Amino acid sequence: YQQNLKTYTIVKQLLAEGNAGELQKYFGSRMEFGTAGLRAAMGAGISHMNDLTIIQTTQGFCRYLEKNFSDLKKRGVVIGFDARAHLSSGGSSKRFARLAANTFISQGVPVYLFSDIIPTPFVPYTVTHLKLCAGIMVTASHNPKQDNGYKVYWENGAQIISPHDKGISQAIEENQEPWPQAWDDKLIDSSPLLHDPYAMVNKEYFKDIQKQCFYRNINKETNLKFVHTSVHGVGHKFVQLAFKAFDLSPPFAVPEQKDPDPDFPTVKYPNPEEGKGVLTLSFALAEKDGARIILANDPDADRLAVAEKQESGEWKVFSGNELGALLGWWIFTCWKNNSRDTRAIKDVYMLSSTVSSKILRAIALKEGFHFEETLTGFKWMGNRAKQLMDQGKAVLFAFEEAIGYMCCPAVLDKDGVSAAVITAEMASFLATRNLSLSQQLKAVYDEYGFHITKASYFICHDPKVIQQLFDNLRNFDGKNTYPKSCGRFKVSGIRDLTTGYDSSQPDQKAILPTSKSSQMITFTFANGGVATMRTSGTEPKIKYYSELCAPPGNSDVEQLKKELDELVNALEKHFFQPEKNKLQRKTE
């Protein structure tokens, strides 16, 4: 009995052809529910995102929440969605969100379902604002167009961390038979349990981010022009509203990319992290309209890329670490100069993930506030920020190098909307001092020490090869020995967060949580370099992140860059061995 004619037809066709290989791909293994929820291609079978797998996932999640919250039926959950859709399987973010809402409502749980597309940060915002038990965002962020995802937030407004993923995963296994009315999502429209938070959040969120607006008069007067692109995603309307909330003139929107389009027709990958390719149309519009700064959101508007036109006429695209340095400096400076916050500086915190630049550590040391590093991913920073805030601390800012920024305590996750408008205010303020963002970045490095970073990745589709590569690093000169050098660079410290080893700790045990299921080793070098190699949770990649931190006063940037380039070349040659391991390089 078919509920979705499109996926049914795909499977029927494969059966008729006797195509066992494809059927194995569709039905061989269920999507894994991890701390990032689900992320997979839309299509038929239990290995893909479709009506059935969404129903099963939500049934499991619902049962898990019932077990954890006695007041679930009083408080409820929030569900949001982006604009993704997949014609051939009939799947779309909106349809998945409605099916999920139907599952909860059938069990008497109130659901706050957004009636229209929203940025991902609106879901954690709503969880916190309405004190709900959980949140679900249906999005695949900046993944390729055929993908979708199911991202989960806990009652603290942060993404889930272990052991919730395992608990939910087990509950999904135990609740695979669709409940009686599982497919009939029209039932929700007449239910008194269905609420639409769209209007309320669109008012309250923009009120809350205004607490981060310090220079309204400058914003009103500035002649600085901005271009914004939402890369065929959800961001357009919300960034326009954010500019309005800060009294800034609206940014010029890239017309070909401002409306949501699940085909992402003008870009190869809808990921602003991939650099200049995604920004081609933005550069053209900026040249035409005389704009000096480009703000680019990814399709679910939780990330932000920024580019600035230099004196030379060239465009500089800031890395996530560079923008993290600028926003960290700016948010601290605003706190220091304008804050009505009476808390002492010893109660002020900033966070970044372990693979991000340590520039915040340098600023914190000099200015006297606290810096903490967390594991990779905003789930860790969001959860840690909440713990600190519950202890009465002020968490001003958190960031990760993958262009994610948390600039506003009302959202405990990365938020590309508030980051865009705060960057615009910072640029407008600097313009009154005749400074560009690039000049201010150099000033930050001059004051706190240059931090030069370089990151890339190799693609590898064979998990065995990845395992061998990391095993080799753990048994480099005989069993259980890590490398003592990398080419001409001497290794001075090793932290392995897969095994829990840390050579710098007295008991040689790492302080950060360890995870046997993912690979991650950090090497510290005698020259002040740091390099981390890790596997990706969502893509077939082995990533590396490297940084050279110089003390203030060492300003020979070209020499530092050359040194880091040589370190990275040695890392690739000796630790990755791309030829031997048949790794595919990141291609620009």
Side-chain angles (χ1 to χ4, degrees):
Y1 177 62
Q2 80 272 8
Q3 293 286 358
N4 177 329
L5 199 58
K6 287 184 169 175
T7 46
Y8 176 75
T9 310
I10 295 169
V11 176
K12 212 171 137 188
Q13 178 76 29
L14 291 173
L15 281 168
E17 293 164 8
N19 190 333
E22 281 298 292
L23 285 165
Q24 178 63 29
K25 250 202 262 176
Y26 285 33
F27 292 95
S29 63
R30 174 170 290 282
M31 286 178 291
E32 230 172 272
F33 191 97
T35 50
L38 298 173
R39 187 78 66 88
M42 291 179 270
I46 58 171
S47 63
H48 291 119
M49 301 278 294
N50 55 54
D51 296 358
L52 175 63
T53 50
I54 290 292
I55 287 169
Q56 293 172 324
T57 300
T58 311
Q59 290 181 171
F61 188 33
C62 181
R63 287 288 176 258
Y64 185 74
L65 289 172
E66 286 168 350
K67 219 166 67 186
N68 279 276
F69 296 102
S70 56
D71 54 358
L72 177 66
K73 290 185 175 163
K74 207 168 78 201
R75 289 161 69 191
V77 299
V78 55
I79 302 176
F81 54 91
D82 69 9
R84 286 178 178 255
H86 189 242
L87 279 176
S88 62
S89 70
S92 73
S93 298
K94 183 172 186 170
R95 169 145 183 85
F96 294 161
R98 285 180 60 85
L99 287 167
N102 187 42
T103 301
F104 278 107
I105 284 173
S106 76
Q107 304 303 298
V109 178
V111 172
Y112 295 80
L113 173 68
F114 281 95
S115 52
D116 203 350
I117 54 170
I118 51 153
T120 293
F122 277 23
V123 167
Y125 176 83
T126 308
V127 172
T128 304
H129 196 78
L130 295 178
K131 301 185 175 53
L132 307 179
C133 294
I136 297 165
M137 178 69 191
V138 184
T139 178
S141 189
H142 53 271
N143 271 39
K145 64 183 178 186
Q146 67 274 13
D147 288 1
N148 217 324
Y150 185 106
K151 195 171 181 181
V152 173
Y153 295 86
W154 203 241
E155 66 164 340
N156 62 356
Q159 287 177 60
I160 57 162
I161 48 176
S162 209
H164 292 312
D165 55 333
K166 292 180 191 66
I168 295 166
S169 199
Q170 196 187 331
I172 295 168
E173 292 292 329
E174 292 161 4
N175 289 281
Q176 288 184 17
E177 174 78 27
W179 297 337
Q181 268 116 21
W183 303 91
D184 195 359
D185 65 298
K186 288 190 195 59
L187 292 172
I188 65 176
D189 296 316
S190 55
S191 169
L193 292 172
L194 183 75
H195 309 278
D196 177 11
Y198 191 85
M200 181 275 297
V201 172
N202 264 311
K203 199 172 84 210
E204 297 296 321
Y205 170 87
F206 293 104
K207 234 168 46 197
D208 272 341
I209 64 169
Q210 287 180 52
K211 293 173 190 148
Q212 314 303 314
C213 174
F214 295 106
Y215 292 99
R216 210 170 272 284
N217 292 339
I218 291 177
N219 296 348
K220 280 179 187 157
E221 319 257 282
T222 186
N223 325 327
L224 210 51
K225 291 177 180 166
F226 299 90
V227 157
H228 174 248
T229 177
S230 38
V231 193
H232 304 296
V234 304
H236 171 72
K237 175 183 169 177
F238 303 98
V239 169
Q240 296 280 326
L241 287 169
F243 268 63
K244 203 171 146 189
F246 273 52
D247 273 325
L248 283 153
S249 299
F252 299 109
V254 175
E256 303 90 331
Q257 295 177 336
K258 82 177 176 62
D259 297 321
D261 185 333
D263 279 326
F264 304 108
T266 66
V267 292
K268 192 171 163 203
Y269 301 106
N271 182 1
E273 249 189 299
E274 296 287 344
K276 295 198 169 174
V278 180
L279 299 176
T280 311
L281 292 168
S282 301
F283 294 139
L285 180 66
E287 297 289 355
K288 184 175 119 306
D289 288 335
R292 206 178 76 204
I293 292 175
I294 291 167
L295 304 164
N297 286 122
D298 68 342
D300 68 330
D302 65 349
R303 297 170 191 236
L304 174 74
V306 177
E308 180 183 57
K309 194 173 183 179
Q310 306 300 292
E311 300 278 298
S312 63
E314 283 284 302
W315 284 94
K316 173 180 168 64
V317 181
F318 293 94
S319 72
N321 285 323
E322 290 172 330
L323 195 55
L326 279 167
L327 284 167
W329 161 80
W330 173 249
I331 287 167
F332 177 72
T333 307
C334 289
W335 179 86
K336 198 169 65 177
N337 297 342
N338 304 297
S339 177
R340 288 176 284 288
D341 193 335
T342 52
R343 280 175 286 202
I345 195 152
K346 67 173 177 38
D347 287 330
V348 168
Y349 281 73
M350 287 196 183
L351 313 174
S352 73
S353 69
T354 176
V355 296
S356 304
S357 168
K358 299 289 165 276
I359 184 66
L360 296 183
R361 184 178 64 190
I363 300 176
L365 272 171
K366 197 163 171 180
E367 300 292 349
F369 63 89
H370 290 273
F371 165 74
E372 274 191 21
E373 111 178 331
T374 71
L375 288 180
T376 314
F378 256 89
K379 59 184 179 196
W380 297 105
M381 285 182 274
N383 278 285
R384 181 62 183 140
K386 181 72 172 101
Q387 283 178 343
L388 289 165
M389 286 155 65
D390 288 346
Q391 295 162 20
K393 312 295 185 197
V395 180
L396 298 187
F397 178 59
F399 90 96
E400 64 178 5
E401 52 68 50
I403 64 175
Y405 311 96
M406 182 181 114
C407 304
C408 174
V411 174
L412 295 179
D413 197 12
K414 51 187 180 288
D415 178 356
V417 177
S418 59
V421 73
I422 288 167
T423 301
E425 178 172 85
M426 166 172 64
S428 304
F429 172 86
L430 288 169
T432 65
R433 308 281 195 272
N434 287 325
L435 287 168
S436 66
L437 292 173
S438 311
Q439 287 166 327
Q440 181 54 40
L441 180 64
K442 188 176 176 317
V444 170
Y445 287 147
D446 282 335
E447 184 162 348
Y448 301 107
F450 273 84
H451 286 59
I452 297 179
T453 57
K454 197 171 183 180
S456 190
Y457 58 79
F458 288 95
I459 292 170
C460 179
H461 290 282
D462 185 348
K464 281 197 209 63
V465 171
I466 295 177
Q467 187 63 50
Q468 274 162 0
L469 188 149
F470 280 92
D471 283 346
N472 177 47
L473 291 170
R474 295 190 181 104
N475 303 282
F476 205 74
D477 300 313
K479 204 170 157 43
N480 294 331
T481 60
Y482 291 89
K484 293 182 180 59
S485 64
C486 179
R488 70 174 178 85
F489 299 97
K490 196 170 155 334
V491 174
S492 59
I494 284 153
R495 183 185 62 188
D496 187 336
L497 288 179
T498 307
T499 63
Y501 170 75
D502 187 341
S503 65
S504 69
Q505 294 302 322
D507 61 356
Q508 311 223 311
K509 285 191 169 66
I511 295 169
L512 288 174
T514 53
S515 164
K516 289 183 177 51
S517 60
S518 58
Q519 300 285 352
M520 178 155 155
I521 306 179
T522 300
F523 300 93
T524 308
F525 295 93
N527 67 345
V530 185
T532 295
M533 294 169 59
R534 65 182 278 261
T535 47
S536 163
T538 50
E539 299 159 306
K541 290 175 179 175
I542 315 172
K543 302 182 169 186
Y544 67 79
Y545 309 80
S546 63
E547 177 165 41
L548 206 51
C549 310
N554 178 352
S555 53
D556 187 350
V557 185
E558 288 318 307
Q559 182 49 42
L560 290 168
K561 277 191 178 142
K562 193 167 154 272
E563 177 92 350
L564 185 64
D565 284 343
E566 286 176 20
L567 177 63
V568 165
N569 291 341
L571 190 74
E572 291 192 349
K573 184 177 156 187
H574 299 287
F575 289 3
F576 279 95
Q577 302 175 305
E579 284 71 36
K580 183 189 137 188
N581 291 313
K582 299 190 175 54
L583 305 176
Q584 193 186 330
R585 284 180 181 279
K586 171 186 176 178
T587 46
E588 278 310 328

